[in-house]
Each structure stands twice: as structure tokens, then as C-alpha cells.
Amino acid sequence: SAVDTDPDMWKKRLAGTHLERLERLREIRAADGKPAIDETPLNEWLYWDTLGERDPGFDITVTNQLIASVEYNGADIHTALRGGLLLGTTSYARHGALGAQFWWSVFPFLSADVQIAAMRGGEHYAAEEAALLAGTLAAHELGHLLFRYGHPFNVHACIMSPTPMLRFREAVRLLDAAACRAANDPAMAAGVIDLRRPEGVQ
């Protein structure tokens, strides 16, 4: 139908899904019983994306903070479908040894919240498995940081393909270095993403 092929309609649906699921994420409680999303900027992607401007003293930051927000631009489809929930981001770093830094949230791996578990396909993890999955999939951000790889969407054999929803076990099970190389996706060329400071930013 005309509606199904109308890009503006799909944009509205995606934005609606993002906002609706983010509202549900606002119900989640942190380990201290307080809202995981509150009036502070600590759950906002923009706060974490600019970490490199504040010189945290690290190239890699691991947090147990739930990070889920909505911005005016820059939201990827796979992130919007999760209600703005992110696992990590690699971005420019003013003082970083590699000119970039990344942060990684373990909240989606550790949380027992029903909404997070639903995005994991109903999966629940013991602490050891959560650590293994989180550590394995953090290599995605290392690929951005060290090699400036992009996202080979739907080439699930590649660590650089974003995890659908939060299906962590499936994502790790599908990793296959040989199959990733054979796919020869342009996003897997070193240097394909630019993490230099945007022009005009002081």
C-alpha cells in the first residue's frame, strides 16, 4: 500500500516506537531502588558521547548506568527500536591516545528488569555469563576505536554488526571471523569511519 512505502510514515512510526519504549524504560529502577532514568544527564547519550571532551583519563570506560535517551538527530534505527537504549559509543577524545575513546554499559547484560529481559528474548543470565557476553560484545567498540570499522548491517558473522535488540547469546553464537571476511562488506575496511573532531568545533 501507499502507506507502507511512504518514508515519512516509516519515520513517524520509528519515532513513535522510540518514544513509547523510552517511556517504558523510565519505569526501571536501579540497584539502589531509585529510577534508573532521572532528571540528571547520566542516562543521556549526549552526556556520554562528549566524555572525550572532558578528559576522563581513560580510553575505555565501563559503566553500570542505564543509558537510554532521545536526541534531535543521530539516532540509529537499531537504537530507536530499543527505545533509545545503547550499549556503547566510540567518539572523538581530545586527550585520548588514539584520538578517540569508548564507553560501554553493562546494564543491559546485568538487569533482571522484565523490559530488558524481553528485549533479550526472555533470556536471563548468571553473573559469569553476563560478564562473558558483555566482554565479548565490547569488542565491537574496540573495532571502532582501533581500526575505525563501520557497521556491516545484517552481516551477523561480524562483531561490528550491531546486536539486534538485546539478543546477546544469539549475537555471540553467530560470530564467525572467516564468514565475516568472506562477506567483504565495505564497512569492514579500516578507516571507514572518521572519529576526528568535527570542523568548526573549538
Side-chain angles (χ1 to χ4, degrees), residues 103-162:
W103 58 263
W104 187 247
S105 173
V106 297
F107 188 97
F109 298 87
L110 298 173
S111 176
D113 180 83
V114 63
Q115 296 176 70
I116 299 293
M119 284 194 274
R120 293 193 304 240
E123 296 175 354
H124 295 272
Y125 312 132
E128 185 174 347
E129 183 182 12
L132 179 63
L133 293 170
T136 301
L137 293 172
H140 175 105
E141 298 303 331
L142 275 174
H144 291 318
L145 179 68
L146 299 177
F147 303 106
R148 302 322 201 238
Y149 292 147
H151 287 149
F153 288 101
N154 291 321
V155 185
H156 300 301
C158 298
I159 189 70
M160 299 309 297
S161 182

Side-chain angles (χ1 to χ4, degrees), residues 37-50:
I37 296 177
D38 57 21
E39 69 282 356
T40 71
L42 296 178
N43 66 274
E44 297 176 11
W45 171 79
L46 190 58
Y47 174 88
W48 290 90
D49 187 53
T50 58

Side-chain angles (χ1 to χ4, degrees), residues 75-95:
D76 292 318
I77 291 176
H78 63 277
T79 301
L81 289 173
R82 299 176 187 148
L85 187 149
L86 290 115
L87 303 178
T89 294
T90 303
S91 54
Y92 167 82
R94 181 194 301 261
H95 303 284

